[in-house]
Amino acid sequence: MPESPSSAPRRFVPLLERRYTLELRQQLGWPQQVLVLALAVFAGLFISGAILVAAGVSPADLLNEFIVQTFTDPENLRAVLFQAAPMVMVGLAAALAFRARFWNLGLEGQMIWGAIGATFVSIHEIGPPALRMWLMAGAALACGLAWSVFPLALKMRLGINEIISSLMLNYVAANFLLHLVYGAWKDPKDSFPYSPKFQPFERLPEIFDGFSSAIVLAAVVALLAWWFVDRSRAGLYLRFIHASQRVADAVGVPVRRLVMASVLLSGALAGLAGFMVAAGQEGRLTQAFYNGYGFSGILIAFLARNNPLAASVVAVVVATLFVAGRSLQVFYQIPFSMVQLIQAILVVCVASSDFFIRHRIRAVGAVH
Amino acid sequence: MDLIANWLGNMPDAAVPFALAALGLIVSERAGVLSLGAEGLMLVGALAGIGVQLAVHEPGIALIGSMLAAAAVSVLFAVMVVWLRVNQVIAGLALVFFCQGLTGLLGTLLGWTNQPVTGLTAVALGPLVQLPVVGKLFHQNVVVYLVPFIIAGVVLYLNRSVAGLRLRAVGENPQAADAAGIPVLRTRFLAIVAGSALVGLAGGYIAVISTKLWIAGMTGGRGWIAVGLVIFARWSPWRAFAGALLFGGIETLIPQLSAAGIAMPQYFVLMTPYLVTLGVMVWVAVTRRGADETPGALGEPYLREERR
């Protein structure tokens, strides 16, 4: 079609007969980015809500369960914040590793080992009671870190894809956990598959009005992580590495050391998350406490674009989903896998919306 | 002797899902799309297979249902990675959890959980069954006998047909393929859907033929093992077949040993498939056998306007 001069009257071309091209955008302003993101999240929640309604939950209950109950009932708010603490931890753990372009999918395995380390300290009564909780947290950090050494070393030394290796190690850790709770560490009192209950001084204490100290610990770690990635020199270097490892290497950034440090930190934080679930919520080592945290961590880091402060906010949202999911399970017999489904739908919507942030679709040879 | 005979007899049944899933992954990865979603697609295939089987009591149709269901779900993944250019790792992980959630929910809502079905009866391959030791290898269900032919078909398609050449070109160098007039996006889209159908078949086989019932999360990591198997096989279907036999052999050896009275701690036994997967990946990396056969554009989205 010949180019029509701009003075000539525009000829309307039906939408389907135009030719479309895809262009990369330079940069979309942040208000538009936030708008697109919000629309994506809304679309995801809408689809999830529709599925729940189709599964037999009444829309009124849905609204009540997720929004009114969560934020008006102090009991529920406590539960959400309690649940949010380990979520913040796994979210930060994933974000730190992803910043170094390392797909640490072994968060669940590292959590398991963290909880095992903490339980070991509890069972063997290592250290005085006043220090016990801190020793347990330290052991959890160390064990989580140690479990992340394997995929890290395999990648660094042999170039083995960390996605597969860290995932395989989750299954190994999960089976080792079962070996312990069905074996040597089984509670002698009722012989259910969990460890003996922790002593009261081995549990994360409550602070004012029944709010757990876990959330305070999580907030402190989130601030430290924010300082690390946003304010420290290492954080700046990590941004280079994220953009291009080769270029970072060429300009003299100590790439290997920084990647190693972030992955080990990631493992340590996941270990701490394991401690939080064991010493906070469950009060003992149980057989499936880690379920769903691995993907939640990845989701939180992805939605927060690996930003520690944003990750904390997203973690609270995911924790709400978990708490509401549990009550749906009780009252409607909706399986807990629904929570996984909602999370996946959110990721799909947000990941797809990225397309509209990064690209522009233009009709060519038509209206202009 | 009995131990070895029983072991060989059970091995093919355990190897089939690995072989089919790896084959499906190879099809999409040869077109340049990293498919981490296998675990989820296998679950979809398993649930759909059980659903169809409960309705029509015909394993053949149930397996076709598995393939169609997984192919349908994979369209979501294909739209994400091919058209919307979403990071293939994120999209693959999202697909796994989407499928885990979806199958968990549907299995409960539809009441298909723990409902036993009838599978396929074993067919003896004539006098070969009388052979000592290896005889039981020739007393399998029909699908087992079909697997080598399915693999041969895919190999012929990939290596001997023009369409297969185009598919591989898209995975090696999409820019060059595009310049040669091959529709890159359409080829990748179809490769994902076709490969996913094979992965779904693997899941359907586990549920309908092997286990003969549905339980949430029943594939138990076999999809991830298949992803590792593809790396081990360096994207060659026949090497993947050999790897599948290896994994099937390990999976069936352990129950045989404990049945023979050799005591082993149960949960360490359950770790072995994952440890072996790690082990073979290390072995491949250490020996660095053969040339690097990774498809050149694996994991990279393609946009013509970005061509350099």
Side-chain angles (χ1 to χ4, degrees):
Chain A
M1 183 181 14
E3 283 291 320
S4 51
S6 55
S7 56
R10 286 181 175 180
R11 196 168 65 82
F12 180 75
V13 179
L15 288 175
L16 287 173
E17 287 171 26
R18 292 179 196 172
R19 211 157 57 79
Y20 292 93
T21 61
L22 208 54
E23 289 175 359
L24 284 178
R25 276 187 211 274
Q26 283 305 318
Q27 183 76 47
L28 193 63
W30 71 262
Q32 285 101 319
Q33 283 201 31
V34 169
L35 183 71
V36 171
L37 200 67
L39 278 175
V41 170
F42 180 77
L45 291 176
F46 183 80
I47 297 170
S48 311
I51 294 175
L52 279 170
V53 170
V57 183
S58 83
D61 276 9
L62 198 62
L63 217 62
N64 189 37
E65 204 63 65
F66 274 84
I67 297 162
V68 183
Q69 287 294 318
T70 308
F71 296 108
T72 54
D73 181 8
E75 195 59 45
N76 269 316
L77 191 61
R78 276 198 282 270
V80 166
L81 288 182
F82 201 20
Q83 179 65 62
M87 285 292 173
V88 172
M89 246 1 102
V90 286
L92 294 175
L96 270 178
F98 293 174
R99 276 198 175 241
R101 287 212 179 252
F102 188 94
W103 291 101
N104 179 11
L105 304 191
L107 295 171
E108 291 189 353
Q110 290 142 19
M111 265 184 93
I112 292 170
W113 273 98
I116 289 176
T119 311
F120 181 87
V121 173
S122 157
I123 284 181
H124 294 274
E125 300 186 349
I126 297 165
L131 278 177
R132 182 73 54 79
M133 204 190 76
W134 297 104
L135 286 173
M136 285 166 69
L141 275 173
C143 289
L145 184 147
W147 198 243
S148 69
V149 168
F150 296 106
L152 178 65
L154 289 176
K155 165 122 182 191
M156 292 297 221
R157 294 203 66 95
L158 297 171
I160 290 175
N161 187 324
E162 75 274 19
I163 295 174
I164 310 295
S165 65
S166 60
L167 260 161
M168 291 294 120
L169 287 165
N170 284 346
Y171 289 98
V172 175
N175 277 306
F176 189 72
L177 174 70
L178 291 177
H179 172 73
L180 287 175
V181 294
Y182 277 101
W185 286 6
K186 192 190 274 188
D187 189 357
K189 283 208 191 80
D190 52 10
S191 63
F192 273 109
Y194 41 59
S195 77
K197 250 195 164 347
F198 295 161
Q199 308 278 341
F201 55 81
E202 292 167 343
R203 310 269 318 253
L204 278 162
E206 281 188 359
I207 46 172
F208 58 92
D209 203 20
F211 283 90
S212 167
S213 54
I215 192 70
V216 180
L217 183 56
V220 171
V221 175
L223 278 176
L224 286 175
W226 169 78
W227 177 85
F228 176 72
V229 302
D230 217 71
R231 287 283 175 272
S232 76
R233 177 189 299 226
L236 181 71
Y237 283 167
L238 272 181
R239 239 166 286 165
F240 282 180
I241 295 173
H242 190 79
S244 164
Q245 241 178 43
R246 246 188 357 189
V247 174
D249 211 24
V251 298
V253 171
V255 174
R256 281 179 73 86
R257 259 191 292 153
L258 270 167
V259 170
M260 277 159 65
S262 351
V263 175
L264 294 177
L265 259 177
S266 165
L269 289 186
L272 200 59
F275 161 76
M276 280 184 172
V277 179
Q281 294 162 3
E282 311 268 358
R284 59 183 9 149
L285 191 63
T286 54
Q287 57 170 334
F289 71 90
Y290 56 87
N291 249 344
Y293 282 97
F295 183 53
S296 299
I298 294 159
L299 163 99
I300 291 165
F302 172 72
L303 294 184
R305 307 208 165 172
N306 303 334
N307 176 323
L309 295 184
S312 309
V313 176
V314 179
V316 175
V317 177
V318 173
T320 314
L321 206 60
F322 257 59
V323 172
R326 269 194 219 115
S327 64
L328 283 178
Q329 198 176 7
V330 174
F331 295 117
Y332 280 93
Q333 281 79 49
I334 302 282
F336 198 61
S337 50
M338 185 66 209
V339 172
Q340 275 185 329
L341 185 61
I342 295 177
Q343 290 184 336
I345 290 173
L346 282 176
V347 170
V348 169
C349 288
V350 171
S352 305
S353 79
D354 245 19
F355 176 79
F356 298 101
I357 290 177
R358 285 189 290 135
H359 304 85
R360 179 176 20 212
I361 300 172
R362 277 233 318 231
V364 284
V367 181
H368 299 294
Chain B
M1 267 305 124
D2 249 15
L3 176 83
I4 295 176
N6 280 329
W7 173 49
L8 285 178
N10 286 327
M11 191 164 80
D13 184 53
V16 165
F18 290 126
L20 291 174
L23 191 65
L25 291 174
I26 287 171
V27 170
S28 86
E29 295 196 4
R30 277 291 185 93
V33 181
L34 181 65
S35 287
L36 293 179
E39 177 79 3
L41 291 171
M42 279 170 88
L43 281 170
V44 168
L47 181 72
I50 288 290
V52 176
Q53 175 69 4
L54 283 171
V56 302
H57 306 288
E58 187 58 62
I61 297 177
L63 291 179
I64 291 171
S66 301
M67 295 177 74
L68 291 178
V73 172
S74 76
V75 169
L76 176 72
F77 175 73
V79 168
M80 282 173 78
V81 299
V82 175
W83 288 349
L84 301 182
R85 307 167 26 108
V86 172
N87 179 315
Q88 294 179 4
V89 176
I90 286 289
L93 291 175
L95 181 69
V96 172
F97 290 91
F98 180 81
C99 295
Q100 283 184 342
L102 187 72
T103 54
L105 183 72
L106 286 179
T108 310
L109 287 181
L110 299 171
W112 293 348
T113 306
N114 276 323
Q115 295 249 41
V117 298
T118 46
L120 281 170
T121 43
V123 181
L125 272 193
L128 286 170
V129 189
Q130 311 298 332
L131 288 173
V133 186
V134 294
K136 285 191 175 165
L137 271 177
F138 304 103
H139 193 239
Q140 305 286 343
N141 65 65
V142 184
V143 182
V144 172
Y145 300 132
L146 282 178
V147 165
F149 294 100
I150 297 175
I151 295 176
V154 172
V155 169
L156 281 179
Y157 169 79
L158 282 177
N159 296 340
R160 293 278 178 273
S161 79
V162 177
L165 176 70
R166 290 191 175 140
L167 185 146
R168 285 183 292 132
V170 165
E172 281 302 334
N173 191 337
Q175 285 83 10
D178 195 4
I182 303 170
V184 174
L185 300 189
R186 195 190 312 158
T187 306
R188 285 191 166 175
F189 202 100
L190 293 177
I192 292 173
V193 175
S196 302
L198 282 171
V199 177
L201 179 62
Y205 182 89
I206 293 177
V208 180
I209 317 285
S210 286
T211 322
K212 301 188 183 68
L213 51 79
W214 161 262
I215 312 163
M218 65 181 297
T219 50
R222 270 177 278 207
W224 295 114
I225 292 179
V227 176
L229 183 58
V230 172
I231 299 173
F232 163 70
R234 282 170 288 138
W235 293 270
S236 144
W238 287 118
R239 279 193 293 245
F241 184 55
L245 287 174
L246 172 73
F247 280 91
I250 288 155
E251 209 181 272
T252 44
L253 176 64
I254 293 146
Q256 292 297 322
L257 285 178
S258 48
I262 299 163
M264 279 173 302
Q266 181 191 355
Y267 294 106
F268 286 91
V269 167
L270 292 176
M271 282 177 201
T272 42
Y274 312 108
L275 287 174
V276 170
T277 310
L278 274 176
V280 292
M281 289 178 79
V282 169
W283 178 68
V284 170
V286 170
T287 54
R288 290 186 213 280
R289 292 158 35 104
D292 182 16
E293 287 160 74
T294 316
L298 185 61
E300 286 172 19
Y302 179 67
L303 180 68
R304 178 182 287 161
E305 282 72 12
E306 234 176 16
R307 196 163 65 193
R308 270 155 285 174

